[in-house]
Amino acid sequence: MASEPTALESKWCGIHPDRQAVDSCAECGRAACLACAVPVRGRVLCAECARRVVGEPVRTPLRPRSLGSRFPDAAAATLLGIALLATLLPWDRFGALTGMLSAWRLGPDPWPFLAGLLLLAATAASGVVLLRRWPTLLRYSAVAYTAVAAAAAGAVGMALLRAPDFASHTPAPYVALAAALGAALVGAVRLRRTS
């Protein structure tokens, strides 16, 4: 003689109608499946009643990062800003890159223009890291500004190496090179410490 199914075995979960109930809520009486049944102080509650009875967990505010931990980000952003400003000045005393913004003109030698674009991208990425506004971008921005600053230093170096023999450079490309290398170094040290 087969036993009759109990009332609970014939019930389905109130939240998940495709799942069979394992118990009913002690507060509201709603049937709860295994995923929804929450043991609280010796009773079984549904997830909604458990949140109401226990309360939402108190989220402690994140402790603001100290100035010391922001120093590498500020240093890299400052160095990249200096390098970017150096692309606005003339790079040659005489030759193709003698005017203001001459590094931003696409000419026969693409390296100064590429260096300017890379320094602009690296400065933007370091700004994202410094502001800490966009958490999804923040994860990749430190790696990005480090790699792009190194690539920008390489582009400035190529512009200096491939310049015609008669070109006489101003201090601007050397400032851009030193600042980009410094920012890449600061970024590499920062990444090494955080990993």
Side-chain angles (χ1 to χ4, degrees):
M1 195 166 171
S3 63
E4 288 185 33
T6 62
L8 188 59
E9 288 176 356
S10 63
K11 286 189 178 181
W12 297 96
C13 178
I15 302 292
H16 305 103
D18 60 331
R19 297 182 185 167
Q20 195 165 7
V22 294
D23 209 341
S24 55
C25 178
E27 287 282 317
C28 67
R30 181 185 322 175
C33 68
L34 189 59
C36 294
V38 180
V40 177
R41 300 179 190 128
R43 302 184 304 165
V44 174
L45 303 176
C46 66
E48 288 179 17
C49 290
R51 271 194 295 273
R52 189 179 68 249
V53 169
V54 175
E56 291 291 324
V58 178
R59 293 189 177 141
T60 58
L62 293 175
R63 187 174 54 115
R65 300 187 83 174
S66 66
L67 183 62
S69 64
R70 282 192 144 187
F71 179 75
D73 299 331
T78 302
L79 286 169
L80 287 167
I82 290 169
L84 187 62
L85 287 175
T87 63
L88 304 178
L89 301 173
W91 279 23
D92 292 341
R93 287 187 175 84
F94 53 89
L97 302 172
T98 55
M100 295 293 285
L101 298 172
S102 59
W104 286 92
R105 290 188 206 114
L106 191 56
D109 188 15
W111 293 108
F113 181 72
L114 180 62
L117 287 179
L118 290 171
L119 285 170
L120 182 64
T123 305
S126 70
V128 168
V129 173
L130 188 61
L131 294 176
R132 302 183 198 289
R133 296 287 173 148
W134 301 281
T136 53
L137 288 177
L138 183 62
R139 182 179 311 143
Y140 304 108
S141 294
V143 174
Y145 85 70
T146 303
V148 176
V156 174
M158 287 300 293
L160 290 170
L161 290 174
R162 295 183 52 94
D165 292 337
F166 61 85
S168 175
H169 299 296
T170 65
Y174 297 107
V175 169
L177 178 64
L181 281 174
L185 182 64
V186 168
V189 169
R190 179 194 187 282
L191 289 174
R192 185 167 175 87
R193 285 186 182 166
T194 57
S195 64

